Amino acid sequence: MNKIYENDAELFELMRTRLFTAVVGDIMDQMNLRRQFLPAGIAPLQQRTKMAGRAMTVLEADVFDDDPVDARGPLSHKPFGLMLDALDDLKTGEVYVATGASLRYALWGELMSTRAQYLKAAGAVLDGYVRDADGIEGLNFPTFCRGVYAQDQGPRGKVIDYRTTIEMGGVRIAPGALMFGDREGVLVIPKEAEEEVIVRALEKVETENEVEVAIRKGMSAQQALDTFGVM
């Protein structure tokens, strides 16, 4: 298989400019990787957003004690738990991917987006809500979430771990997994399969372009499928 990109920066640019989640998902179906789309409720805050990057995984948990004087947990008296540590640990091209919390509060906001953008992160994917939506949109920071809700995480949740394997809607996400999102969903591409997935997806895009031309010239849908193998 010929190498078509030399580094992650080239890979991410290739994905953002030439691919879309539908075609990549089709290829992964063919490779028997059939549970790689995150739940349909996780959508871009701004509809035209496209995102590609490496997962920086974050594990959340709810908390309920307003005055944890007698609590013994190592994070009981640390505001937000490890959230700020995780945020500050973002690297260039990484995506903050968080799950584990209930839907009682927001997991992300404008100031977090500002810090992530400064660190050249590629985006955020939240299995929950965001707040400060206008500010995030003003930054054009790629953010995928379940919607907007202003209630604060502060007294309700903490980050308890990061750079650890997580699951979101039954999809396992390992640290460093390739994340790809657009208005039609968010995909998790396992590291061991990513090169084959990308090469085959690019080939499928070229074939689909040929199919479109043929159909515009009058070819029937059945003929297109018989001729090109895609429809």
Side-chain angles (χ1 to χ4, degrees):
M1 188 178 298
N2 293 329
K3 189 79 171 178
I4 56 176
Y5 53 88
E6 296 299 324
N7 51 50
D8 274 356
E10 291 184 8
L11 170 60
F12 302 156
E13 179 67 13
L14 185 68
M15 294 172 70
R16 287 191 299 265
T17 57
R18 295 181 56 189
L19 295 177
F20 45 96
T21 56
V23 73
V24 176
D26 289 352
I27 292 300
M28 288 203 288
D29 281 348
Q30 294 171 15
M31 295 172 62
N32 206 32
L33 297 168
R34 297 186 176 177
R35 295 185 178 181
Q36 301 306 126
F37 267 106
L38 298 186
I42 299 174
L45 186 60
Q46 294 173 282
Q47 193 176 69
R48 297 293 180 181
T49 298
K50 227 171 181 185
M51 175 202 70
R54 298 275 175 202
M56 202 287 282
T57 52
V58 177
L59 184 61
E60 292 264 356
D62 290 354
V63 295
F64 302 95
D65 195 341
D66 294 328
D67 186 24
V69 174
D70 298 321
R72 296 293 187 267
L75 300 176
S76 294
H77 306 285
K78 185 177 173 66
F80 301 106
L82 299 175
M83 186 184 80
L84 301 182
D85 304 72
L87 180 63
D88 286 337
D89 197 48
L90 278 167
K91 306 295 190 297
T92 299
E94 288 190 328
V95 180
Y96 185 102
V97 185
T99 192
S102 67
L103 297 177
R104 297 189 302 131
Y105 50 88
L107 302 178
W108 190 260
E110 180 182 2
L111 293 179
M112 295 179 74
S113 299
T114 301
R115 177 60 174 156
Q117 190 172 69
Y118 176 83
L119 295 172
K120 297 182 172 57
V125 176
L126 299 316
D127 190 7
Y129 301 119
V130 303
R131 60 190 233 159
D132 312 319
D134 288 347
I136 297 171
E137 290 174 354
L139 293 168
N140 286 318
F141 185 74
T143 304
F144 291 73
C145 60
R146 289 188 178 273
V148 296
Y149 185 41
Q151 185 144 271
D152 187 27
Q153 178 172 192
R156 299 176 181 89
K158 294 179 185 288
V159 170
I160 59 172
D161 204 357
Y162 62 100
R163 298 196 183 278
T164 182
T165 297
I166 59 176
E167 285 193 4
M168 195 180 297
V171 180
R172 182 156 289 203
I173 310 171
L178 188 57
M179 306 293 296
F180 186 38
D182 60 22
R183 64 185 295 189
E184 296 185 351
V186 179
L187 276 168
V188 181
I189 306 170
K191 214 167 186 179
E192 62 273 13
E194 65 183 42
E195 188 170 351
E196 182 179 354
V197 168
I198 298 304
V199 169
R200 290 178 59 176
L202 287 167
E203 291 171 351
K204 189 172 192 292
V205 166
E206 293 301 320
T207 302
E208 288 185 351
N209 290 340
E210 293 177 25
V211 172
E212 182 177 4
V213 171
I215 290 175
R216 286 181 183 276
K217 291 180 177 179
M219 181 179 282
S220 72
Q222 186 61 56
Q223 283 178 309
L225 180 62
D226 293 341
T227 303
F228 297 99
V230 300
M231 184 61 206

